[in-house]
Amino acid sequence: MTSPKRAIEESPEAFYQRFRTHALEVYLFPEPWGSPLVEVLCGDQVVYAFDRGAPPAPTGRVRALLHGTVRKAKPLEGAPFLRREGPTYRLGGRAEALGDGFYLLKAPVPVLVHGEAPLPEEAEVLLWPPLMLFRE
């Protein structure tokens, strides 16, 4: 008999509280009516993320976490990057282990990722869609 897998998060609020020290200041554009996706300006890059916060999403500057689940990982070859590939994201950077399969991937935009297998110190990952946004 195998043991059940532990849930990645207990609730959006508890998840944000657990990792809030890794939150960054982002700018949220007005949410399209009825859409769960928000446009997020992080530095000079816009990403699209599934909003895990209570509706409605605010507009303007907020503290938030971007989070994704690792689909594939390999050692990074080259400079850190973040790019969208269809409905998902591929990013690379230095991976800081946080425990329990969580890493802060220090790409051009820091993203909290979770993977079943350990990540290399410098990693390139393909995430499962969607990229998620947790906010205060």
Side-chain angles (χ1 to χ4, degrees), residues 8-69:
I8 293 176
E9 66 178 72
E10 294 169 12
S11 72
E13 297 81 12
F15 188 84
Y16 182 84
Q17 288 304 315
R18 179 177 177 191
F19 294 107
R20 73 175 179 248
T21 58
H22 305 291
L24 57 147
E25 187 172 289
V26 300
Y27 183 90
L28 296 183
F29 290 97
E31 180 180 351
W33 193 81
S35 174
L37 292 180
V38 290
E39 290 179 305
V40 184
L41 179 63
C42 308
D44 62 354
Q45 191 160 7
V46 173
V47 297
Y48 299 92
F50 183 81
D51 183 19
R52 297 299 310 275
T59 298
R61 296 200 179 284
V62 298
R63 300 271 311 154
L65 288 166
L66 292 172
H67 170 62
T69 304

Side-chain angles (χ1 to χ4, degrees), residues 78-99:
F81 70 94
L82 170 69
R83 70 174 174 261
R84 189 168 58 87
E85 295 181 0
T88 192
Y89 284 88
R90 182 180 301 271
L91 60 151
R94 185 167 198 71
E96 177 186 332
L98 302 176

